[in-house]
Amino acid sequence: MMLSWKQLVLLSFIGCLRGESPLQGPMFVREPSDSIVPVGSEEKQVTLTCEARGNPSPHYRWQLNGSDVDLSVERRYKQNRGDLVVVNPNRNRDVGSYQCFATNSLGTIISREAKLQFAYLENFKTKRRSTVSVREGQGVVLLCGPPPHSGELSYAWIFNEYPSLVEEDSRRFVSQETGHLYIAKVETSDVGNYTCVVTSMVTAARVLGSPTPLVLRSDGVMSEYEPKIEVQFPESLPAAKGSTVRLECFALGNPVPQISWHRSDGQPLPSKVKLSKVSSVLEVPSFQQEDAGSYECVAENSRGRNVARGRLTYYAKPHWVHLIKDVTVAMGDDLHWECQAGGKPKASYRWLKDGESLLLEDRIQIENGALTITNLSVADSGMFQCIAENKHGRIYSSAELKVIAAAPDFSATPMPPLLRVQAGSEVGLECQPRASPRARASWRRGDVAVQENGRISFVEDGGLRIANVTKADTGAYTCVAENQFGAANGTTHLIVTEPTRITLAPSSMDVSVGESIVLPCQARHDPLLDATFTWYVDGSLADFHRDGAHVEKVGGSSSGDLMIRNIQLKHSGKYVCVVQTGVDSVSSAADLVVRGSPGPPENVTVDEITDTTAQLSWEEGTDNRSPVTSYAIQARTPYSVGWQTVTTVPEFIDGEAHTATVVGLNPWVEYEFRVVASNQIGGGEPSLPSEKVRTEEAVPEAPPSEVSGGGGSRSELVITWDPVPEELQNGEGFGYVVAFRPLGITNWIQTVVTSPDTPRYVFRNESIKPFSLYEVKVGVYNNKGEGPFSPVTTVFSAEEEPTVAPSQVSASSLSSSEIEVSWNAIPWKLSSGHLLGYEVRYWTSRQQESASRVTVAASDTSAVLRGLRSNLAYNAAVRAYNSAGVGPFSTTVNATTRKTPPSQPPGNVVWNTTDTKVLLNWEQVRAMENESEVTGYKDQQPEGHAGAEHKQDICRAAAARQGGLHHRGQGHHSWRGRGQQ
C-alpha cells in the first residue's frame, strides 16, 4: 500500500528521532536476464532472478507479456524472495517477456524485460527423397529443409555412410544459413547418397534427413560455363555494434569458380576481416560503424565472372550516456532531471513513476528525454524511471525523488558562536537553517531589532551584512527564521579587533648557487589574537618537510623568518609571507633570483665531417640566470677512456657562438661529441651526445712499433711488430708491407700482410743461412694508399738446431725418489746461434707413451729427476735444443730407485742412568719387504746443555736382537733405525 505524503513526512520525522536508517525507495541489485530452455531437458524448473535493496525492504510481483502472474492461481509458478521459479516450463504456456516489480512504501520500479524462450529440434518427416540426376561437370544443389525447430542450428552432410562427412573445399560448400549442400562442378567421385545432418546449438540434439541419391546422366559431359552464384547474402543486412557478421558466397560453374571479396566503394577490407572455407565465408568481428557499407562477392572462372552485392548497415542498442540519480529537493522548488542515451537509430524516451506511465500536465513536461517538474509538492515524491528505446532494445534508469517539508532547523548548519572581524572591514553574518520551504529571516542585536541603514543591509538568502565595522558593532546577533511549519533562531557573538601589520618584510635578493640567506618576516597583531606565519613559493604552500635539508623557519613563534641553506636553482621564485590571525591576514612578497652554472646545450649536430675535422652546431640551453661566457667541446671514441676535451677552431669558443670546428681527429674513427657551457658561476652539465659519426678515410700515418724478430726454425726469418691500433689505421683495407734484405745487400724483398691484427711474418727459404743478420722494416697501407715505414732494424735469421746427441750419458740412483742423469756437453759453434739447454726425458716401462721431461741450462751437464716412485726402474735420454729446434736423443740409460727407509721406530727402549752415563737398550727393527735393510741406528739428542742438537751414529750388526748405547751427559734422547736410501 502506498502511503500519503503526510504519512511519509511523519514516518521520516519519527525515524530520524529514533536514529534509524533513512527511508529509501527500491533499487535493483539483480535483474532477470533472457533464458533459453532446452525442451526435454532434465532441468524441471527455470529461475528468473530479481533482487532490490530499499528501506523498508521491497516486496515483489511479476508480469508475463504485460499481465500479472497470479501465484495463488498459477501453481506452476513459485516465488523465492524476489526470484520467480517456473516449474516444469512449457513452451506453449510459458514463453514470453517477463518483468519484475519491486515495491516499498516509497514507490515502485520495474525491471528490464527478460525473454523466456524454448529451444527444440523435431525429427525429419520420414519421406524418401528423389534421385538427383546431373551431367558430369554440371553444378548441383542438394536441399536440406530442416524440420521444425527453435534455436540456432548447424549443418553437415554425410556421404554414403557415417562417419564419412562431406569435406568442404573450393568445389563443395555447406551453407550454415540454408543447410543446403552446393557442388560447383560434379565429378564421377561425387556419385553416392547424401544425408543432411542438423544439430541444435542449444540442446546438442542431432537429426538426420533421408538420403538423397546423386547419379550421373549418360548423355555426355557438361561443357564449360560461367559462374552462377547460388549462395549470397541479403541486399541489406543490419549488423549490431560489437557483433560478428558472417557473409556466405558460393557459385556453381565449370571450371570451378574462384571467390574473392571487395568493398564496393573501393576502400580496402578491414584488417580484422577473416576468410574461411576457401574464401566462401567472410567474417567481420567486433562490427563497428566504420565497417558498414556495401560489400561484394566476385565469382570468376575462365568463362566469365558474376558479382553479388549487399549492404551492411550499422545499428546499436540504446546505451546510457547520462543516468538519473536520486535527488532530494524542498517543497516549492523546481526539478530538472537529465536522461540521455546513445544508440542507432536515435533513442526515444518515456518516464514512469512508481511503475506507471508519468502523466504530463502544465507542471510536468518531458523534452528530449529530460523531465521538468515545477513547484514541487510532497505528493511528487516517489520512484521514477527513464526508459530509452529504439527498435533494437530498451534500457531502464531508476532514481528516487524526495520532496521534503520541514520547519527551520539550525542543527545541521549552526551559526558560529564567535566571529572576530577587523575594524574597518566588511562582515557578513550567515543565516541558513534547513527549512522546506525556505524560511523568512529577521535579525536583532541583543533585544533590539536590527534595522537597515547606510552600513547595515539584509541579504536575499537571509544573511546580514555590515560595512566599515567599528568597535561599537561588537555584540550578540540573533537570526530568527520562520516558515508555515515553525520557527528557530541562532546567535553569533561579533568581536571587532585591530588590524595586523607586517613590521619587517622580506626583500628581493639576487644570489648564486651554494649561498645561504634569510628572508625576514615579522608582524604586529591584536593581542587578543594568535598569529601564524605561512610561506608560499610561486603560489604553492612551501613544504618544509620535503625540502628540510635546505629550508626552515627560524625566529620562534613571534617571527616567520625563512632560512635557505646551500641555495639551489630550484629555490628561485616569488616568495610570499602570509601572517594569518583569526580575523585577518596580511602578506608581503619578494623575488628571489638564484643564478647557477648553465644547463646542458641542446641539439648538438655534426654538420660536416672530413678525415681530421668535424664542424659542430648546437643550441643554447638554459643559462640559469647568468649569461654563457664560453663553450668547450668533448669527444668520445670506442678507444678513448671516457670523454676528452678536443682542440677547436676557434680555440676559444665565445658564449655567443653556436658553432665550431673540431680539429686533430683520427681518420676513419667513430666519434661522439658533446658541448659544455660555462658562465661566471662555473661549468655546467654537458649536453646529450651527438649522433655517432665516422671521419673520412685517409692514408695511414703511423707505422707499427717495436719491429723486431729472430728465432724460428731452420731456413726461416721471423719478423715481429706491435700491430697498429684500429684508431690509427685511418681506413678500411688496412695491412702491412714487410720489407727485408741481408745485411749489406741493396735491394729489398717486400711482401704484403693483409690482416691488421697480425703481429709477425715468417719468410721461409732454403737459401737463408743460419743466424745471419738481416735489415727489416714494416710499412702500412689501406684503401687510400701507402703510409710510412718503421725505422730499419736488424734481426737474426733462425739458428741451426743441434745435430749431435750428448755423449757419455749415465744414470745413478740417489734415493728412493731421485735419480741423477749426467752427460758430456755437445760441441757447439757460436756462429750456429745460441744453445739454450738440454732436455732430459724419462719414463718407466709402463709409461713409455707419456714420458716426462726436465730442462736445464746449456752450462749444465747433469739433472736430478725428482718425485719418482721407489724401487722402480726408469729409462732416460738426453738431447740439446735451441730456438730453431731440438737435436737427436742420446742413447737410453736406466737406473732403479732405492727402496724406502724403515718406517717403524725401535721398540721397547729401556735406559739406566748414573751420575755420568746413560745405558740404552732397544729391540731390533725388521725392514718390510718394500723397505731397505737396516744398517744401523742413530741417536738424536735435541737441545742439550750446549744448546745444539747432538747426534751419534751407532753401527751395530743388523742381526743383533737388542741394541745398546752408553752416553755421558744429560738431556732427552730419541732413536730411529737407519737403512740404505
Side-chain angles (χ1 to χ4, degrees):
M1 179 184 71
M2 298 292 292
L3 300 179
S4 68
W5 69 268
K6 293 182 179 179
Q7 291 173 312
L8 290 174
V9 171
L10 181 60
L11 283 175
S12 298
F13 180 72
I14 294 173
C16 291
L17 290 178
R18 292 177 177 174
E20 298 175 354
S21 299
L23 297 177
Q24 182 182 23
M27 194 63 64
F28 283 117
V29 177
R30 293 184 299 135
E31 297 185 64
S33 301
D34 294 342
S35 296
I36 299 178
V37 180
V39 174
S41 169
E42 294 181 359
E43 293 291 335
K44 299 303 180 182
Q45 62 184 32
V46 176
T47 300
L48 300 172
T49 60
C50 182
E51 181 185 354
R53 66 174 184 268
N55 185 25
S57 298
H59 60 272
Y60 305 89
R61 62 186 177 90
W62 286 80
Q63 283 188 350
L64 168 59
N65 298 328
S67 300
D68 286 343
V69 175
D70 191 344
L71 298 177
S72 63
V73 175
E74 299 289 350
R75 297 293 183 183
R76 68 180 187 275
Y77 295 118
K78 295 190 300 184
Q79 192 165 311
N80 181 13
R81 295 184 180 177
D83 297 346
L84 179 66
V85 181
V86 183
V87 181
N88 295 322
N90 183 279
R91 81 184 193 191
N92 296 318
R93 295 176 306 181
D94 299 321
V95 67
S97 178
Y98 289 77
Q99 277 187 291
C100 173
F101 291 68
T103 303
N104 69 6
S105 58
L106 298 180
T108 300
I109 54 174
I110 305 176
S111 73
R112 66 189 174 206
E113 295 180 4
K115 293 182 180 180
L116 180 60
Q117 298 174 302
F118 292 82
Y120 60 90
L121 176 62
E122 297 183 2
N123 289 319
F124 281 94
K125 293 181 180 179
T126 303
K127 181 180 179 182
R128 182 179 179 82
R129 299 203 178 196
S130 302
T131 299
V132 177
S133 179
V134 296
R135 296 163 64 187
E136 183 180 351
Q138 184 179 355
V140 69
V141 180
L142 302 182
L143 305 182
C144 178
H149 64 276
S150 176
E152 187 178 355
L153 302 179
S154 68
Y155 300 91
W157 283 77
I158 297 174
F159 179 55
N160 289 330
E161 294 182 356
Y162 184 82
S164 177
L165 295 177
V166 173
E167 294 185 3
E168 297 180 74
D169 52 25
S170 61
R171 196 171 60 84
R172 292 168 294 190
F173 177 72
V174 177
S175 171
Q176 296 303 315
E177 298 291 337
T178 65
H180 303 335
L181 170 61
Y182 301 82
I183 303 178
K185 173 189 171 186
V186 175
E187 298 177 352
T188 56
S189 60
D190 295 325
V191 173
N193 292 318
Y194 291 83
T195 303
C196 180
V197 182
V198 183
T199 304
S200 171
M201 301 296 288
V202 180
T203 67
R206 177 179 299 172
V207 294
L208 278 66
S210 299
T212 301
L214 177 66
V215 300
L216 291 180
R217 290 165 51 179
S218 59
D219 54 350
V221 177
M222 182 78 172
S223 60
E224 293 184 353
Y225 63 96
E226 67 180 13
K228 178 184 178 183
I229 296 179
E230 289 288 344
V231 181
Q232 63 186 63
F233 45 97
E235 291 185 3
S236 180
L237 179 63
K241 175 184 178 182
S243 65
T244 296
V245 180
R246 188 175 187 273
L247 305 179
E248 294 183 343
C249 182
F250 191 76
L252 311 183
N254 185 7
V256 175
Q258 300 296 314
I259 304 296
S260 60
W261 294 84
H262 310 279
R263 288 190 62 155
S264 302
D265 57 7
Q267 294 292 323
L269 292 174
S271 59
K272 61 185 178 181
V273 161
K274 300 177 182 177
L275 297 177
S276 60
K277 296 190 177 182
V278 197
S279 298
S280 294
V281 176
L282 177 141
E283 286 187 357
V284 185
S286 186
F287 189 82
Q288 302 298 321
Q289 189 159 3
E290 59 268 20
D291 299 325
S294 181
Y295 287 71
E296 61 181 32
C297 161
V298 179
E300 55 186 330
N301 62 13
S302 59
R303 304 298 297 177
R305 68 196 301 265
N306 204 344
V307 180
R309 295 183 178 87
R311 176 171 293 276
L312 297 181
T313 59
Y314 171 85
Y315 76 85
K317 297 178 181 180
H319 57 276
W320 287 119
V321 175
H322 193 285
L323 291 163
I324 60 174
K325 297 180 180 179
D326 294 346
V327 291
T328 301
V329 291
M331 187 176 71
D333 287 350
D334 296 337
L335 169 70
H336 183 78
W337 237 340
E338 283 287 344
C339 177
Q340 186 178 356
K344 187 172 183 180
K346 186 177 180 181
S348 61
Y349 302 90
R350 55 191 175 94
W351 284 76
L352 305 179
K353 180 187 177 187
D354 295 327
E356 303 290 341
S357 294
L358 183 63
L359 298 178
L360 302 182
E361 52 183 85
D362 290 341
R363 291 189 314 113
I364 304 174
Q365 297 293 326
I366 299 174
E367 183 177 358
N368 294 328
L371 172 64
T372 301
I373 305 177
T374 60
N375 191 23
L376 287 164
S377 67
V378 175
D380 292 319
S381 297
M383 297 303 302
F384 286 75
Q385 289 179 285
C386 175
I387 303 175
E389 56 190 335
N390 62 18
K391 64 181 181 181
H392 302 293
R394 180 182 298 130
I395 53 177
Y396 294 73
S397 177
S398 305
E400 181 180 359
L401 170 62
K402 289 182 180 179
V403 181
I404 58 175
D409 180 12
F410 282 95
S411 60
T413 56
M415 295 177 63
L418 182 66
L419 183 61
R420 291 187 174 95
V421 297
Q422 177 185 330
S425 65
E426 183 178 282
V427 63
L429 304 180
E430 292 185 348
C431 179
Q432 295 180 342
R434 284 189 176 178
S436 182
R438 182 184 299 172
R440 300 178 302 276
S442 61
W443 288 85
R444 66 172 182 262
R445 178 182 172 197
D447 296 329
V448 179
V450 177
Q451 303 293 330
E452 285 189 302
N453 57 34
R455 293 191 310 113
I456 301 175
S457 59
F458 298 121
V459 184
E460 184 178 354
D461 64 1
L464 178 67
R465 189 170 303 280
I466 306 175
N468 193 20
V469 177
T470 67
K471 289 277 188 179
D473 293 319
T474 300
Y477 289 80
T478 300
C479 172
V480 179
E482 300 175 278
N483 68 8
Q484 62 265 44
F485 296 103
N489 61 71
T491 301
T492 292
H493 291 271
L494 180 66
I495 297 177
V496 181
T497 61
E498 292 298 325
T500 304
R501 291 183 175 85
I502 292 180
T503 56
L504 181 59
S507 58
S508 297
M509 302 182 72
D510 191 323
V511 298
S512 297
V513 169
E515 297 184 23
S516 297
I517 63 166
V518 174
L519 295 175
C521 184
Q522 298 176 15
R524 183 176 68 247
H525 56 86
D526 191 290
L528 296 178
L529 303 175
D530 293 327
T532 59
F533 295 84
T534 307
W535 284 89
Y536 292 84
V537 183
D538 292 332
S540 299
L541 183 65
D543 190 343
F544 297 109
H545 295 289
R546 188 177 64 182
D547 201 17
H550 295 279
V551 182
E552 68 171 321
K553 283 200 293 188
V554 295
S557 59
S558 62
S559 172
D561 295 351
L562 184 68
M563 173 177 282
I564 307 178
R565 300 185 182 88
N566 187 21
I567 202 164
Q568 302 297 310
L569 289 170
K570 65 180 181 179
H571 295 129
S572 292
K574 188 178 188 66
Y575 285 73
V576 179
C577 175
V578 179
V579 185
Q580 181 86 39
T581 68
V583 175
D584 63 350
S585 68
V586 292
S587 63
S588 181
D591 291 320
L592 177 60
V593 178
V594 181
R595 306 185 189 276
S597 55
E602 300 175 350
N603 297 328
V604 177
T605 306
V606 180
D607 299 323
E608 186 178 343
I609 192 81
T610 69
D611 56 347
T612 58
T613 66
Q615 184 173 330
L616 272 61
S617 62
W618 59 90
E619 296 176 6
E620 184 176 356
T622 57
D623 63 6
N624 292 329
R625 305 176 191 88
S626 179
V628 175
T629 56
S630 64
Y631 290 98
I633 299 178
Q634 298 176 342
R636 179 174 66 181
T637 73
Y639 319 107
S640 64
V641 179
W643 291 90
Q644 307 291 330
T645 302
V646 294
T647 305
T648 61
V649 175
E651 185 175 353
F652 176 80
I653 306 174
D654 185 80
E656 299 295 326
H658 297 96
T659 181
T661 300
V662 180
V663 298
L665 303 178
N666 289 331
W668 199 243
V669 172
E670 192 175 67
Y671 281 89
E672 291 177 281
F673 300 95
R674 68 182 187 184
V675 182
V676 180
S678 299
N679 59 15
Q680 291 183 349
I681 308 301
E685 296 180 13
S687 68
L688 293 174
S690 67
E691 291 186 358
K692 294 180 180 180
V693 294
R694 186 181 287 275
T695 50
E696 296 179 353
E697 294 180 287
V699 174
E701 298 178 352
S705 60
E706 302 298 328
V707 178
S708 183
S713 302
R714 179 197 291 267
S715 302
E716 287 184 349
L717 174 64
V718 179
I719 303 171
T720 62
W721 61 88
D722 286 349
V724 175
E726 186 177 349
E727 64 266 31
L728 299 179
Q729 294 175 7
N730 291 8
E732 291 187 311
F734 182 85
Y736 302 98
V737 179
V738 181
F740 54 91
R741 62 187 179 187
L743 187 64
I745 302 301
T746 303
N747 295 328
W748 293 91
I749 301 173
Q750 290 190 353
T751 188
V752 173
V753 177
T754 59
S755 174
D757 298 326
T758 300
R760 68 198 300 265
Y761 170 73
V762 178
F763 176 68
R764 296 179 179 86
N765 194 295
E766 294 298 330
S767 63
I768 296 179
K769 296 179 180 180
F771 210 58
S772 301
L773 270 177
Y774 278 77
E775 290 182 315
V776 299
K777 61 181 180 179
V778 181
V780 289
Y781 73 92
N782 62 17
N783 290 345
K784 300 294 286 186
E786 293 188 9
F789 277 93
S790 65
V792 176
T793 186
T794 57
V795 299
F796 282 96
S797 63
E799 302 173 353
E800 184 178 13
E801 69 272 14
T803 58
V804 297
S807 59
Q808 299 297 319
V809 180
S810 63
S812 60
S813 175
L814 299 180
S815 68
S816 60
S817 62
E818 295 176 333
I819 292 176
E820 182 180 37
V821 179
S822 303
W823 61 88
N824 288 343
I826 66 169
W828 187 257
K829 297 183 295 183
L830 189 59
S831 60
S832 297
H834 300 287
L835 184 65
L836 297 180
Y838 295 92
E839 175 188 303
V840 181
R841 289 204 176 185
Y842 58 96
W843 65 94
T844 66
S845 58
R846 298 178 182 177
Q847 298 176 331
Q848 190 167 0
E849 298 296 328
S850 56
S852 302
R853 71 186 186 98
V854 296
T855 58
V856 296
S859 59
D860 294 335
T861 56
S862 66
V864 176
L865 310 181
R866 293 182 171 86
L868 307 180
R869 296 172 60 185
S870 63
N871 195 29
L872 190 63
Y874 282 86
N875 301 311
V878 186
R879 63 180 176 183
Y881 70 92
N882 64 2
S883 63
V886 295
F889 274 111
S890 67
T891 57
T892 301
V893 295
N894 57 69
T896 300
T897 53
R898 298 179 182 179
K899 293 183 178 181
T900 57
S903 59
Q904 298 296 322
N908 294 328
V909 178
V910 179
W911 67 91
N912 294 308
T913 61
T914 65
D915 291 341
T916 58
K917 64 182 178 179
V918 177
L919 176 63
L920 301 178
N921 295 280
W922 60 87
E923 290 184 355
Q924 181 184 10
V925 174
R926 295 187 179 275
M928 300 177 70
E929 183 178 352
N930 61 342
E931 296 176 341
S932 59
E933 294 183 358
V934 176
T935 59
Y937 298 88
K938 180 177 289 186
D939 157 34
Q940 291 185 347
Q941 178 184 356
E943 294 186 4
H945 293 295
E949 184 182 85
H950 171 75
K951 294 183 180 180
Q952 182 173 350
D953 289 343
I954 309 121
C955 294
R956 298 279 181 141
R961 180 171 178 78
Q962 292 184 339
L965 169 66
H966 292 279
H967 180 72
R968 300 179 184 276
Q970 296 180 354
H972 301 283
H973 306 273
S974 62
W975 297 265
R976 64 180 179 181
R978 183 178 67 183
Q980 294 181 350
Q981 298 183 11

